[in-house]
Amino acid sequence: MPPRKADQIVQVLRNEILSGQRAPGAKLPTYDAIVELFGVTRPTVARGLRALRSEGLVTADGTRGVFVASSFPHHSRYLWVTSEQPGTPGWSSTSAAILELIARGETGIPGEVVALVGVDGRANNPAYQRLCEAVEHGSAAGLIVTGSATTSLLPVLQTPGLPRVAIAESLPHARLLDVDMGALVERASARLVERGRRVAVFSPNAAHLELARARLYARGVERRHLSLLHVAPVGCEILTRLLFERAERPDAVFVTDDSLVAPLLAGLKRGKLRARGDVFVLAHCTWPRPTGDADGIEHLGFDARELLLAAKQLIDAQRAGEVPKDRAVQPRFARELTSAPATALPRAA
């Protein structure tokens, strides 16, 4: 019997189960009844029921028969989708933290979070195939998509379907979940003026530098005492060393991107200076993966666990028929985390 006959059985029973037509715990028709209903053989029925069991929709109870599961993984399974993967230019500290949390089962989300990494829209891409299957079968509670130019063009996401949340960049039919960089720069500025009169800001993002300029001027930092450095990781070490060779070197430094922390520390080391001991350094981070936490750096950043929980809440609201507002996660100092900093994930080697 062609496999499509088994697929037909799966599709009909799946729809009846997920729609509530067959209640949790209800007994399915016997093998003979399904054979007669679909005009198939018993081996075909067996293939279809095995597929439903693999999805967690039904359970077999010995000779008593096959029953609808008491709860469905579809209602507690969330898919995190990203077009990037470790080692690519777009792979961020946030993505790295989320992937580690998923791998360690420490997302804080009840149920299951599945990582689909490197989703690029090609038919032979396994992660994209799994995404398409989930959307087609409704086999997940929702999608948490790290927005990018690639994910915004994925054909499977162009029409409504599974509830979805987009992180950082807008996507079709998705609620937007972002991080509040304005709040981060505001809180960082307040902390910097507490610790020094001469301030330097390192950032690869020109907009973040301008935001920091405005906030620091508003807090009384003089123009001649403010150094704004638009710099990438390559070159950051040299600029740090040159900056701190000046007679009036900064008292306090703010790093808006954690990719700059390692080269900045290397630059300080070349100048025989230490964070905390010789200069106050405040750096953006993604909790629970702070960079430089053992090197005297103070951190202010966004918690990947809080980001995932906020995404779940937006998805659950959509599942309940609501139209939730877009949200922005707030920055946290270490003392403000709901989980102690001691739970920090190990840094990748």
Side-chain angles (χ1 to χ4, degrees), residues 227-249:
S227 300
L228 299 172
L229 296 99
H230 190 191
V231 59
V234 176
C236 182
E237 178 180 337
I238 295 175
L239 281 177
T240 301
R241 180 171 58 82
L242 293 174
L243 179 66
F244 280 90
E245 286 177 350
R246 294 163 46 180
E248 291 194 350
R249 68 190 191 199

Side-chain angles (χ1 to χ4, degrees), residues 13-256:
L13 292 178
R14 181 196 293 119
N15 291 340
E16 292 178 354
I17 291 170
L18 294 178
S19 67
Q21 185 176 341
R22 295 189 183 276
K27 186 176 181 180
L28 292 186
T30 64
Y31 268 60
D32 290 338
I34 297 176
V35 165
E36 184 176 352
L37 178 63
F38 290 94
V40 296
T41 62
R42 289 178 65 85
T44 300
V45 174
R47 283 200 299 271
L49 294 180
R50 278 199 302 270
L52 290 172
R53 283 201 302 274
S54 70
E55 291 185 21
L57 293 179
V58 302
T59 59
D61 187 6
T63 58
R64 293 185 61 233
V66 179
F67 297 81
V68 177
S70 57
S71 62
F72 309 138
H74 301 58
H75 297 166
S76 58
R77 177 188 294 142
Y78 300 84
L79 304 184
W80 174 58
V81 181
T82 174
S83 62
E84 303 296 340
Q85 50 190 324
T88 61
W91 186 253
S92 66
S93 62
T94 300
S95 294
I98 290 175
L99 185 59
E100 286 188 38
L101 288 168
I102 292 172
R104 292 160 62 96
E106 297 176 359
T107 63
I109 294 179
E112 180 185 16
V113 183
V114 177
L116 300 182
V117 177
V119 176
D120 61 13
R122 293 179 299 161
N124 63 348
N125 178 274
Y128 184 62
Q129 290 175 355
R130 189 164 183 183
L131 173 62
C132 291
E133 290 170 1
V135 171
E136 179 184 356
H137 300 151
S139 57
L143 310 175
I144 303 170
V145 185
T146 296
S148 67
T150 298
T151 53
S152 66
L153 296 176
L154 292 176
V156 73
L157 299 182
Q158 298 307 306
T159 56
L162 284 177
R164 64 201 66 169
V165 172
I167 296 177
E169 294 187 31
S170 298
L171 291 174
H173 316 291
R175 305 316 305 171
L176 178 63
L177 176 62
D178 211 341
V179 295
D180 194 337
M181 279 300 299
L184 181 136
V185 173
E186 177 63 37
R187 298 195 68 187
S189 300
R191 183 71 175 129
L192 289 167
V193 298
E194 291 176 357
R195 298 303 304 264
R197 187 167 60 97
R198 295 183 296 274
V199 176
V201 181
F202 287 72
S203 180
N205 188 299
H208 294 167
L209 284 176
E210 288 306 310
L211 190 58
R213 183 202 304 271
R215 296 290 193 272
L216 288 165
Y217 283 169
R219 289 188 173 274
V221 175
E222 298 182 25
R223 293 175 184 267
R224 62 193 177 95
H225 291 154
L226 177 60
S227 300
L228 299 172
L229 296 99
H230 190 191
V231 59
V234 176
C236 182
E237 178 180 337
I238 295 175
L239 281 177
T240 301
R241 180 171 58 82
L242 293 174
L243 179 66
F244 280 90
E245 286 177 350
R246 294 163 46 180
E248 291 194 350
R249 68 190 191 199
D251 307 306
V253 173
F254 174 38
V255 184
T256 74

Side-chain angles (χ1 to χ4, degrees), residues 258 261 284-294 297 299 341 344-345 347:
D258 37 10
V261 172
H284 164 274
C285 77
T286 300
W287 301 108
R289 293 182 91 249
T291 301
D293 53 316
I297 289 180
H299 292 95
L345 296 174
R347 299 297 303 175

